[in-house]
Amino acid sequence: MATAKTQDVVVENDRYHVPSLVRALQILELIAGAPSALGVSEMAARLGIPKNSIFRIVTTLADYGYLNREPILKLYSTSTKLLALGYAAVNESQLLEKALGPMRCLRDATQETVLLGVLSGGHGVVVEQLLSPQAVKVMVEIGHQFPLHTSAPGKVMVAHLPAAEMDVIVEQIDFVRYTNRTITDRAAYFQELERVREHGFAVDREEQVEGVNCIAAPIRNRRNEVIAAIWVTGPSARFKKASLETIRRKTIEQANVISGRIGWSPSNSAD
């Protein structure tokens, strides 16, 4: 059986693959994982694909709305159309619509920014946020990709994956150090995931951004699968011990409300 390896994912029966489509997928994955927009020359250098092929593919993707094109510098970035596709892949009817009410309740109760996110490949993706009413607040762009080893929602979603899927995801994580609190090795990360499963929530203790804390809880479907995460984020000065416990409790409560709206029941839980 023939195999081919692309972006650390092994695929089978490559003799049936369309080469230009494979290249387009490689380009999309590269751009999606980049911290900033990329030009044709840089993409060609990273992927080993001729620049004229890169140019034709990104032009097509931009014309169909899958990439944003900066006209002066001629740089490309992913568009919200890709976010819509990723969101649809969650395959839960009206998740966002059913999450907004509980998100508002959580925002009002904590007075902090509340976000909703899903897994997308080797990252998490923000699909909605409700901003804190306070003058000093955390703001995140819809569609923002966040790393899985530093973020509370990343931890809570990875922790509840089936073991085989979890191993694949963790193997692909680049444990970049952002602060002196960042988890930087797999063994420590697996220990953290075990704590998340045991306690039912995850915490970002200034692990990506100094001065910012997050608390996340899992959203489950009727099959008890974790398909999203809801989390509260704000300045660490406001996440003291007493308020931390209140935020944790209310986050779990509203995560369970959303889960119930999409068919989950505590009686279905195996945890």
Side-chain angles (χ1 to χ4, degrees), residues 156-171:
V156 89
M157 290 188 287
V158 173
H160 293 92
L161 288 172
E165 291 182 38
M166 183 194 307
D167 289 343
V168 171
I169 290 288
V170 175
E171 182 63 30

Side-chain angles (χ1 to χ4, degrees), residues 42-229:
E42 185 173 2
M43 286 185 266
R46 291 195 188 187
L47 295 174
I49 298 173
K51 286 197 292 185
N52 61 341
S53 295
I54 296 275
F55 177 76
R56 289 196 298 270
I57 291 170
V58 295
T59 297
T60 301
L61 290 171
D63 288 346
Y64 277 81
Y66 291 98
L67 293 178
N68 294 322
R69 176 171 47 207
E70 199 288 314
I72 297 176
L73 298 177
K74 298 180 180 178
L75 299 177
Y76 295 84
S77 59
T78 52
S79 73
T80 55
K81 190 170 185 177
L82 282 174
L83 173 62
L85 290 177
Y87 183 73
V90 175
N91 198 30
E92 302 298 332
S93 175
Q94 300 174 323
L95 172 61
L96 182 56
E97 178 182 336
K98 294 175 180 179
L100 280 173
M103 288 178 69
R104 291 191 188 97
C105 290
L106 185 56
R107 187 267 316 275
D108 295 344
T110 62
Q111 296 291 289
E112 301 292 354
T113 296
V114 174
L115 301 102
L116 182 72
V118 298
L119 277 179
S120 179
H123 298 86
V125 178
V126 175
V127 297
E128 186 56 279
Q129 75 167 336
L130 297 178
L131 293 177
S132 164
Q134 304 196 62
V136 178
K137 69 191 75 176
V138 175
M139 302 175 63
V140 183
E141 291 185 1
I142 304 300
H144 169 74
Q145 293 185 329
F146 51 85
L148 301 178
H149 68 297
T150 62
S151 62
K155 294 175 190 176
V156 89
M157 290 188 287
V158 173
H160 293 92
L161 288 172
E165 291 182 38
M166 183 194 307
D167 289 343
V168 171
I169 290 288
V170 175
E171 182 63 30
Q172 294 176 359
I173 292 176
D174 182 8
F175 286 88
V176 176
R177 179 182 291 279
Y178 295 96
T179 74
N180 60 8
R181 296 174 180 266
T182 302
I183 296 172
T184 56
D185 67 80
R186 287 179 176 82
Y189 187 62
F190 276 119
Q191 291 177 355
E192 178 76 354
L193 297 181
E194 181 61 34
R195 285 192 289 270
V196 170
R197 285 190 294 274
E198 179 181 352
H199 297 295
F201 69 98
V203 180
D204 170 358
R205 309 170 184 85
E206 302 182 62
E207 294 167 50
Q208 184 176 3
V209 179
E210 294 281 0
V212 174
N213 282 154
C214 305
I215 296 180
I219 296 172
R220 303 172 185 271
N221 64 13
R222 62 182 177 82
R223 296 178 296 277
N224 200 42
E225 298 164 337
V226 172
I227 50 86

Side-chain angles (χ1 to χ4, degrees), residues 223-261:
R223 296 178 296 277
N224 200 42
E225 298 164 337
V226 172
I227 50 86
I230 184 174
W231 68 102
V232 176
T233 183
S236 56
R238 298 203 293 257
F239 278 60
K240 300 302 183 183
K241 187 173 183 179
S243 60
L244 196 68
E245 172 57 25
T246 299
I247 294 170
R248 179 201 67 79
R249 177 173 51 82
K250 292 183 179 298
T251 302
I252 293 174
E253 285 177 358
Q254 296 306 322
N256 288 343
V257 171
I258 298 170
S259 299
R261 290 184 172 189

